[in-house]
Amino acid sequence: MKYDTGSCRILEKQQLTVDIYDVTVDAGKLALLAKPGQFVHVLVPGHTLRRPISICGIDRAANTLRLVFQVRGEGTAQLAALNCGDSIDLLAPLGRGFSLGNTGRKVLFVGGGIGVPPLLEAAKPFGENAAVVLGFRSREAVILKEDFEQNGNRVQIATDDGSLGHHGLVTDCMEALEAEHFAFEEVFACGPAPMLKAVIRAAERLGVPCQVSMEQRMACGVGACLGCAVKLRREDGGEYYGHVCKDGPVFRARDIVWED
Amino acid sequence: MKYDTGSCRILEKQQLTVDIYDVTVDAGKLALLAKPGQFVHVLVPGHTLRRPISICGIDRAANTLRLVFQVRGEGTAQLAALNCGDSIDLLAPLGRGFSLGNTGRKVLFVGGGIGVPPLLEAAKPFGENAAVVLGFRSREAVILKEDFEQNGNRVQIATDDGSLGHHGLVTDCMEALEAEHFAFEEVFACGPAPMLKAVIRAAERLGVPCQVSMEQRMACGVGACLGCAVKLRREDGGEYYGHVCKDGPVFRARDIVWED
Amino acid sequence: MADLKVTIAGVPFQNPLIAASGTFGFGREYAEFYPLSTLGGISCKGITLAERPGNPPPRVTETPGGMLNAVGLQNPGVDHFIKEDLPWLQKQGTVVIANIAGNTPEDYCRMAEKLSYTAVDMVELNISCPNVKQGGVQFGTSCAGVEDITAQVRRFCKKPLMVKLSPNVSDIGEIAAAAESAGADAISMINTLTGMRIDIRTRRPVLRNNTGGLSGPALLPIAVRMVWQAAQRVKIPIVGMGGISKWEDAVELLLAGASALQIGTVFFTDPYAPVKILDGLNQYLDRSGFSSVSDLTGRVCPW
Amino acid sequence: MADLKVTIAGVPFQNPLIAASGTFGFGREYAEFYPLSTLGGISCKGITLAERPGNPPPRVTETPGGMLNAVGLQNPGVDHFIKEDLPWLQKQGTVVIANIAGNTPEDYCRMAEKLSYTAVDMVELNISCPNVKQGGVQFGTSCAGVEDITAQVRRFCKKPLMVKLSPNVSDIGEIAAAAESAGADAISMINTLTGMRIDIRTRRPVLRNNTGGLSGPALLPIAVRMVWQAAQRVKIPIVGMGGISKWEDAVELLLAGASALQIGTVFFTDPYAPVKILDGLNQYLDRSGFSSVSDLTGRVCPW
Ligand SMILES: Cc1cc2nc3c(=O)[nH]c(=O)nc-3n(C[C@H](O)[C@H](O)[C@H](O)COP(=O)(O)OP(=O)(O)OC[C@H]3O[C@@H](n4cnc5c(N)ncnc54)[C@H](O)[C@@H]3O)c2cc1C
Ligand SMILES: Cc1cc2nc3c(=O)[nH]c(=O)nc-3n(C[C@H](O)[C@H](O)[C@H](O)COP(=O)(O)OP(=O)(O)OC[C@H]3O[C@@H](n4cnc5c(N)ncnc54)[C@H](O)[C@@H]3O)c2cc1C
Ligand SMILES: Cc1cc2nc3c(=O)[nH]c(=O)nc-3n(C[C@H](O)[C@H](O)[C@H](O)COP(=O)(O)O)c2cc1C
Ligand SMILES: Cc1cc2nc3c(=O)[nH]c(=O)nc-3n(C[C@H](O)[C@H](O)[C@H](O)COP(=O)(O)O)c2cc1C
Ligand code: FES
Ligand code: FES
């Protein structure tokens, strides 16, 4: 079995910011299958389409999954209204997560806003070998900083308004790390498209590979409907549409063809 | 103001039979406007159309309304899943209730199954002047017997299978009352169509007027959409479609033209 | 506060929200909730030349995300409307639109003529009612039919004339163009799509009319698409409707090309819907820096 | 336990539930949940003569009670299907239906010919795809178009031929009759209704294709009505679909006139839907005293 559906009880719920929630669910056997960077597809009662949410934490001993999500529309608002003891139906775990490789290597994680959660579990095994740069709008929007610190990662924050950490972009921090001779061998990134593109350019300049987690509107979540297309480049240079839910959500940066 | 919408908190909830629920809600000012035989139109979140439910009890001192309903489909199932503390949105009070007239008269109330609840509040002011005949499938389906007894009404039960009270039809009981010289001056009835028709025939035979509460599928509940048609007879003998939500749900039996 | 006023076919509306025909009666029942001047206008229950009893019940039922109706144009007839309902309506401080339906072109013409000399602000030609045997939708599903009836009524109608289109067609753009070319001053769209439900217990159609018209949220994406397609074909204003239940839906239909909107089924879910929709619309306009609601019309930027 | 077996155009299905084209890929992803023999059949993702990349994203979005898709027939082409997907599919113990779409009648004919000499059990002619510029729906919205393409393909198709109808028409009955008269062995209906959503923040259509096809529960009453109307016009079996999400919906479509059913969008909500629908159907048949599911077909008793 690769994935399945299951009714999962909410064990913990916390509000992290004005619109971001943090829930831990009892996912039974689904938790055992989960890998960092994969996602769950959440049924919102009354809605036709499920909502994809990245797996932020996996506790195989407790059979739990942690999900951190932002209220963006009706579906996420409905999820945010649930409480401990309520159950949600998950289709999980879905997609291909990060290929972590040798966790003894020095690596860099770069997250922006609600793109931060999928990186947490991936950064864990790297401990202090991972530098983590997290970008937010402002101090009020910062999430999961302590969680990365608990991973033992070297955490830096950048905010657009300078209210916490570096006043500026995550890519400024990347350059600073470079200047400090923190020679990371790979970059793992998730966040808004403009940030991802900048991170990918920076990684290219440094000559290190980069894995990024992508988003796209989804229906099935398993690769059957071909809904969640993302343009990819084949080895031979040809282009084709792959699918975020099955071929991703994590892709090698060099395979992605950015449209628009 | 004749009617309005309001969010009403459920104060009490009880399960009366395998599929019938009894809830009391804090209806605020809406309770003050309510009269016996009127109904409320309940919003079921996620559904386009509200569900009409008769007012079973009115407590003007406590501002509460009592609703007794049976699970028949999705909407009522969703309502049955609510608990004390939850709120429901009511559009109320709607329609024309019973014209009780002089409550010193001897009258008869006849209810069948889920048609029983709308009679309870109407029978209250009549006390022992009211004979109440309630028909059910079986002993397990009996509801509100004690409530009518608390009204001081003379209550008789008929069941289809004889498991409680008279083994047979409510109209048998009507005949028995007649034989006992309980000379009722008016009949108030609510229940399935075949029962209503039989009760109306019996009342006609006895030469007493009869008011019946009718059901029809509804949309607006206030008389605007013309959805809930019921064929009525004009004084001049002509026929036309009146509307259950505005002209009823209580009609004089002699005005109703039974279709099918 | 942005400017919510719109003008359709020369008729000024204080805001773009109009009650859709058949869902609001002649306004009296909803006047319990708020003054009718809350609305930009009211499209009255469809009227016919003579009184009509309407269809036998059941006439309405729910569907996933919507409802079906087969009221069958129950109404007291045009003369009764003019004498009994219009005098009250015209005092409510809102635009009054008469929605007319007929069995024959002559019926439509006679009604348009009668209404021309009344206080009615606008006539809405209902050639899209799916719930009556004769008249209505058969005029509305071909270009020739739409053109013919519109042109005939145009000659008798001294009031601004709005033609209400049926969605039960393959190419709504050509239907809209036909109405425009025949002299319509505005288009309203969409009426209901024909649907059916069956009671699996009795194995009979739920509606006594067998089929009925689908309205409510389920219809929204169809309405958005059709308004967008029609807006590319005509210059006359479009009054958009079909499944609006939130202010966001209203914005979508405006962006798609509507100059004003009608709301119908949402009254049944929430009688206060227009108040909430207008409030949301106002805030959206302010937040997005639009000074007038009409700036939204047709502002969608297709790919 | 009632008999769930049905036969459509000579092809025996172990039960009447078929996965709808485009919602189930070539079956591999859902084989994770249950053996594909749980289903009566699978209508494969629409295939074309040559490989197609499909439309740029976004390709899907939600609507009230449903969804829109504009996948644009992304597929590896008929030869790849025959070589890579069919061998696996034919071993799954379920009926395999090839859904074909083309730009020209010749495309359709060549595909039908190629598939005639394969293990495919049935060919479904998709002349109703609204999401591609050329081909697809333009054949499906006129009687002449349907008749012409059906007749041409019929000559090349040695397999049972099912024609899939578009709901974007005024009179579905005459379209169904056209397919029958041109030699279709069965009809499947309905495909999606064309719809649109607009992102009110960006003021762009949500779908990169601007419009997309509406599917899901919202469609159910339209499907019931159309199947009922078509069933009155044709003798060939109808495979009904559109918005089935519960066993009750399945019963409605059977009563309306369907001999078998397809389910699509419901897989996205609940991958286990077919198991639950079959279970409910079975219990309904037992409770209602029907010994075979085919006894339900067309059993609605109209008023
Ligand atoms: C692989 C993946 C992982 C994700 N992980 C997270 C996460 O960990 N935390 C988090 O807060 N968000 C995450 N998202 C985004 C999240 O799925 C959307 O914010 C959510 O679907 C919005 O639903 P809604 O009902 O609130 O919004 P609405 O706008 O009402 O939704 C309407 C429709 O659009 C879809 N949709 C809207 N925005 C997006 C989006 N950005 N991506 C995909 N579909 C969208 C919805 O799923 C729904 O079908 C992820 C998305 C993907 C694809
Ligand atoms: C004036 C009036 C008073 C009523 N009082 C009571 C009461 O006190 N207690 C009680 O249990 N029931 C009462 N009913 C019946 C109750 O409204 C229906 O049982 C309920 O609407 C079913 O909803 P559902 O979602 O469970 O069923 P579904 O079958 O899923 O509903 C589908 C649609 O059909 C409508 N519908 C189905 N059955 C009926 C019906 N019998 N009457 C009207 N609409 C129907 C629903 O409102 C909904 O719009 C009353 C009906 C009316 C008209
Ligand atoms: C109960 C009901 C009655 C209707 N009667 C009429 C009518 O008389 N004339 C008309 O043009 N449209 C009529 N309609 C259609 C509506 O005016 C409107 O076009 C349709 O309901 C779509 O809008 P909505 O989804 O906001 O309801 C009726 C709709 C409903 C629900
Ligand atoms: C994502 C998606 C892709 C589809 N692709 C096809 C297709 O390739 N060929 C086809 O004939 N129908 C296609 N359809 C239409 C379905 O087969 C079906 O007719 C429609 O979705 C209605 O059924 P439903 O409401 O059960 O989904 C597609 C539908 C969806 C949702
Ligand atoms: S969501 Fe269906 S293929 Fe990705
Ligand atoms: S429900 Fe609208 S008139 Fe009665």
Side-chain angles (χ1 to χ4, degrees):
Chain A
M1 195 184 64
K2 289 194 289 195
Y3 45 76
D4 203 352
T5 62
S7 176
C8 301
R9 236 161 61 92
I10 298 177
L11 302 175
E12 287 174 54
K13 179 192 173 184
Q14 235 191 306
Q15 184 163 1
L16 300 186
T17 73
V18 65
D19 59 358
I20 297 184
Y21 293 81
D22 178 353
V23 300
T24 300
V25 301
D26 178 353
K29 61 181 177 163
L30 304 181
L32 299 177
L33 301 165
K35 296 198 198 75
Q38 287 190 300
F39 70 96
V40 302
H41 218 19
V42 190
L43 184 75
V44 186
H47 284 265
T48 300
L49 296 184
R50 290 170 178 256
R51 272 37 180 186
I53 301 290
S54 296
I55 294 171
C56 172
I58 307 168
D59 185 336
R60 291 205 181 70
N63 278 341
T64 62
L65 293 176
R66 180 178 179 191
L67 310 172
V68 171
F69 64 90
Q70 186 172 32
V71 173
R72 290 290 207 52
E74 275 185 31
T76 45
Q78 232 172 288
L79 292 178
L82 296 176
N83 291 312
C84 290
D86 292 337
S87 288
I88 51 176
D89 185 287
L90 300 187
L91 166 54
L94 299 178
R96 289 202 206 162
F98 292 101
S99 302
L100 301 184
N102 176 356
T103 54
R105 299 175 302 154
K106 283 202 164 24
V107 296
L108 174 66
F109 285 84
V110 187
I114 196 61
V116 168
L119 303 177
L120 181 63
E121 189 69 26
K124 195 187 264 173
F126 287 97
E128 62 175 9
N129 287 325
V132 175
V133 178
L134 306 177
F136 300 97
R137 234 177 326 98
S138 70
R139 165 193 286 271
E140 288 71 39
V142 173
I143 54 169
L144 303 179
K145 177 169 176 289
E146 289 76 18
D147 299 82
F148 283 97
E149 286 166 354
Q150 268 174 35
N151 278 349
N153 309 140
R154 314 175 183 204
V155 184
Q156 287 181 47
I157 303 289
T159 52
D160 296 347
D161 65 359
S163 54
L164 192 78
H166 172 70
H167 186 171
L169 305 174
V170 288
T171 42
D172 303 341
C173 299
M174 283 178 75
E175 281 164 21
L177 279 166
E178 201 191 335
E180 289 168 29
H181 302 288
F182 180 87
F184 44 86
E185 295 179 33
E186 186 153 16
V187 179
F188 302 90
C190 184
M195 183 205 93
L196 286 184
K197 289 189 208 173
V199 170
I200 291 169
R201 268 195 310 273
E204 268 171 14
R205 206 167 17 76
L206 297 169
V208 296
C210 182
Q211 295 180 34
V212 299
S213 180
M214 302 285 283
E215 287 192 4
Q216 190 47 262
R217 289 183 184 246
M218 292 186 175
C220 72
V222 296
C225 76
L226 312 184
C228 59
V230 55
K231 192 166 258 186
L232 300 178
R233 192 173 287 108
R234 260 193 294 266
E235 302 291 333
D236 67 9
E239 294 177 356
Y240 71 105
Y241 284 116
H243 299 95
V244 171
C245 73
K246 194 174 189 179
D247 307 317
V250 178
F251 295 90
R252 295 188 303 192
R254 65 164 199 246
D255 293 339
I256 300 169
V257 181
W258 294 87
E259 297 191 289
D260 328 326
Chain B
M1 194 186 63
K2 289 194 287 192
Y3 45 77
D4 203 352
T5 62
S7 176
C8 302
R9 236 161 61 93
I10 298 177
L11 302 175
E12 286 174 55
K13 181 192 171 183
Q14 236 189 305
Q15 186 165 358
L16 301 186
T17 72
V18 64
D19 59 357
I20 297 184
Y21 293 80
D22 177 355
V23 301
T24 300
V25 302
D26 178 353
K29 60 182 175 158
L30 304 182
L32 299 176
L33 300 164
K35 296 198 199 75
Q38 288 190 300
F39 69 98
V40 302
H41 218 19
V42 191
L43 184 74
V44 186
H47 284 265
T48 299
L49 297 183
R50 289 171 179 257
R51 270 43 178 181
I53 301 290
S54 295
I55 293 172
C56 172
I58 307 168
D59 185 336
R60 291 206 180 71
N63 278 341
T64 61
L65 293 176
R66 180 178 179 191
L67 310 172
V68 172
F69 63 91
Q70 185 171 32
V71 172
R72 289 289 209 51
E74 275 186 32
T76 45
Q78 232 173 289
L79 293 177
L82 296 175
N83 291 311
C84 290
D86 292 337
S87 288
I88 50 176
D89 186 287
L90 299 187
L91 166 54
L94 299 178
R96 287 201 207 164
F98 291 101
S99 301
L100 301 185
N102 177 355
T103 54
R105 299 177 302 155
K106 282 203 164 24
V107 296
L108 174 66
F109 285 83
V110 187
I114 196 62
V116 168
L119 303 177
L120 182 63
E121 189 69 25
K124 195 187 263 172
F126 287 97
E128 62 176 10
N129 288 323
V132 175
V133 177
L134 307 177
F136 299 97
R137 234 179 324 101
S138 70
R139 166 192 284 271
E140 288 71 39
V142 173
I143 55 170
L144 302 179
K145 178 169 175 286
E146 290 76 19
D147 299 82
F148 282 97
E149 285 166 354
Q150 268 176 35
N151 277 349
N153 309 141
R154 313 176 184 204
V155 184
Q156 286 179 46
I157 304 288
T159 51
D160 296 347
D161 64 358
S163 54
L164 192 76
H166 172 70
H167 186 171
L169 303 174
V170 289
T171 41
D172 303 340
C173 299
M174 283 177 76
E175 282 164 22
L177 280 166
E178 202 190 338
E180 291 167 29
H181 302 289
F182 181 87
F184 44 86
E185 296 179 32
E186 186 155 14
V187 179
F188 302 90
C190 185
M195 183 204 92
L196 286 183
K197 289 190 209 171
V199 170
I200 291 169
R201 267 197 311 273
E204 267 171 13
R205 206 166 16 78
L206 297 170
V208 297
C210 182
Q211 296 180 34
V212 298
S213 179
M214 302 285 283
E215 287 193 3
Q216 190 45 264
R217 291 186 181 243
M218 293 187 175
C220 72
V222 296
C225 76
L226 313 185
C228 58
V230 55
K231 193 166 257 184
L232 300 178
R233 192 173 286 108
R234 259 193 295 266
E235 302 292 334
D236 67 9
E239 295 178 353
Y240 71 104
Y241 283 116
H243 298 96
V244 171
C245 72
K246 194 175 190 179
D247 307 317
V250 178
F251 295 90
R252 295 188 302 193
R254 66 163 198 245
D255 293 341
I256 299 169
V257 181
W258 293 87
E259 297 193 287
D260 326 328
Chain C
M1 288 278 277
D3 184 5
L4 288 185
K5 289 196 282 295
V6 296
T7 300
I8 305 289
V11 180
F13 291 73
Q14 58 228 1
N15 70 57
L17 272 198
I18 304 166
S21 177
T23 64
F24 207 74
F26 299 114
R28 284 197 167 90
E29 293 78 13
Y30 285 99
E32 282 291 318
F33 299 104
Y34 34 74
L36 297 186
S37 58
T38 306
L39 290 160
I42 296 174
S43 176
C44 300
K45 172 66 200 167
I47 50 181
T48 49
L49 196 54
E51 177 185 353
R52 277 181 62 99
N55 292 328
R59 291 179 174 182
V60 292
T61 190
E62 206 177 44
T63 69
M67 64 172 284
L68 297 179
N69 91 81
V71 169
L73 285 174
Q74 174 170 12
N75 83 96
V78 64
D79 293 330
H80 183 281
F81 167 73
I82 293 172
K83 226 175 108 212
E84 306 293 334
D85 299 298
L86 188 53
W88 182 83
L89 268 169
Q90 70 180 99
K91 286 185 298 213
Q92 303 306 312
T94 192
V95 170
V96 178
I97 302 171
N99 177 284
I100 61 172
N103 293 336
T104 63
E106 293 69 43
D107 287 358
Y108 281 101
C109 292
R110 284 192 50 201
M111 279 189 281
E113 193 171 21
K114 284 182 186 234
L115 291 163
S116 290
Y117 307 99
T118 68
V120 149
D121 296 298
M122 204 170 198
V123 171
E124 183 173 48
L125 201 62
N126 177 3
I127 48 171
S128 45
C129 180
N131 300 323
V132 292
K133 290 238 161 52
Q134 278 243 324
V137 78
Q138 90 275 20
F139 297 112
T141 51
S142 75
C143 288
V146 170
E147 219 172 304
D148 181 47
I149 188 102
T150 306
Q152 290 197 46
V153 174
R154 176 73 289 179
R155 286 204 304 277
F156 290 89
C157 186
K158 305 278 177 283
K159 300 283 182 181
L161 179 64
M162 179 153 79
V163 177
K164 184 162 178 182
L165 306 187
S166 166
N168 298 288
V169 300
S170 296
D171 183 348
I172 195 74
E174 67 176 30
I175 300 274
E180 179 179 49
S181 74
D185 299 308
I187 282 169
S188 56
M189 59 192 289
I190 56 178
N191 210 317
T192 55
L193 266 169
T194 308
M196 182 177 190
R197 286 310 297 267
I198 297 170
D199 183 331
I200 64 167
R201 214 176 37 79
T202 62
R203 295 196 287 277
R204 307 211 74 156
V206 173
L207 299 180
R208 195 61 152 68
N209 190 52
N210 294 324
T211 61
L214 178 67
S215 63
L219 215 53
L220 181 70
I222 310 292
V224 173
R225 183 262 295 184
M226 289 196 167
V227 165
W228 182 64
Q229 290 178 332
Q232 291 167 62
R233 295 289 295 271
V234 300
K235 292 209 167 54
I236 52 176
I238 296 174
V239 176
M241 83 191 90
I244 297 175
S245 72
K246 310 189 302 244
W247 66 264
E248 292 93 334
D249 305 339
V251 172
E252 273 193 59
L253 274 173
L254 292 165
L255 292 171
S259 296
L261 304 166
Q262 291 185 18
I263 53 173
T265 302
V266 70
F267 287 116
F268 311 154
T269 318
D270 180 7
Y272 287 101
V275 179
K276 296 174 187 169
I277 292 172
L278 285 169
D279 189 49
L281 192 54
N282 239 318
Q283 291 184 29
Y284 172 84
L285 289 167
D286 287 352
R287 227 173 23 241
S288 317
F290 289 102
S291 60
S292 161
V293 67
S294 53
D295 291 343
L296 292 181
T297 298
R299 262 300 184 87
V300 65
C301 174
W303 296 100
Chain D
M1 287 279 279
D3 183 6
L4 288 185
K5 289 196 281 297
V6 297
T7 300
I8 306 290
V11 181
F13 291 74
Q14 59 228 3
N15 70 57
L17 273 198
I18 303 166
S21 176
T23 65
F24 206 75
F26 300 114
R28 285 198 166 89
E29 293 78 13
Y30 286 98
E32 282 291 319
F33 299 104
Y34 33 75
L36 297 185
S37 58
T38 306
L39 290 160
I42 297 174
S43 175
C44 300
K45 172 67 199 166
I47 51 180
T48 50
L49 197 54
E51 176 185 353
R52 276 181 63 97
N55 292 328
R59 291 178 174 183
V60 292
T61 190
E62 207 178 43
T63 69
M67 64 171 285
L68 297 178
N69 90 81
V71 168
L73 285 175
Q74 174 170 11
N75 82 94
V78 65
D79 293 330
H80 183 280
F81 167 72
I82 293 171
K83 222 173 110 216
E84 305 294 333
D85 299 298
L86 189 54
W88 182 82
L89 269 168
Q90 70 182 99
K91 286 185 298 213
Q92 303 307 311
T94 192
V95 170
V96 178
I97 302 171
N99 177 284
I100 61 172
N103 293 336
T104 62
E106 293 69 43
D107 287 358
Y108 282 101
C109 292
R110 285 193 49 201
M111 278 189 281
E113 194 172 20
K114 284 182 185 236
L115 290 163
S116 290
Y117 309 98
T118 68
V120 149
D121 297 296
M122 204 171 198
V123 171
E124 184 174 47
L125 201 63
N126 177 2
I127 49 170
S128 46
C129 179
N131 300 323
V132 293
K133 289 239 161 51
Q134 278 240 326
V137 78
Q138 89 275 17
F139 297 112
T141 51
S142 75
C143 289
V146 170
E147 221 173 300
D148 181 47
I149 189 102
T150 305
Q152 289 197 49
V153 174
R154 175 72 291 178
R155 286 205 304 276
F156 290 90
C157 186
K158 306 278 177 282
K159 301 283 182 181
L161 179 64
M162 178 152 80
V163 177
K164 184 162 176 181
L165 305 187
S166 166
N168 298 288
V169 301
S170 297
D171 183 349
I172 194 75
E174 67 177 30
I175 300 276
E180 179 178 49
S181 74
D185 300 307
I187 282 168
S188 57
M189 59 192 292
I190 56 179
N191 210 316
T192 55
L193 265 168
T194 308
M196 181 177 189
R197 287 310 297 266
I198 297 169
D199 183 330
I200 64 168
R201 214 176 38 75
T202 62
R203 296 196 286 278
R204 307 212 76 158
V206 174
L207 299 181
R208 196 58 152 70
N209 190 51
N210 295 323
T211 61
L214 176 66
S215 63
L219 215 54
L220 180 70
I222 311 292
V224 173
R225 184 262 296 183
M226 289 194 166
V227 165
W228 181 64
Q229 290 178 332
Q232 290 166 65
R233 294 290 294 273
V234 300
K235 293 210 169 52
I236 51 176
I238 296 174
V239 176
M241 84 192 89
I244 296 175
S245 73
K246 310 187 301 243
W247 66 265
E248 293 93 333
D249 306 339
V251 173
E252 274 193 58
L253 274 173
L254 292 166
L255 292 171
S259 297
L261 305 166
Q262 291 185 19
I263 54 174
T265 301
V266 70
F267 287 116
F268 310 154
T269 318
D270 180 7
Y272 287 100
V275 180
K276 296 175 186 168
I277 292 172
L278 285 169
D279 190 48
L281 192 54
N282 240 319
Q283 291 183 29
Y284 173 83
L285 289 168
D286 287 351
R287 227 174 21 242
S288 317
F290 289 101
S291 60
S292 161
V293 68
S294 53
D295 292 342
L296 291 181
T297 298
R299 263 299 185 90
V300 65
C301 172
W303 296 100

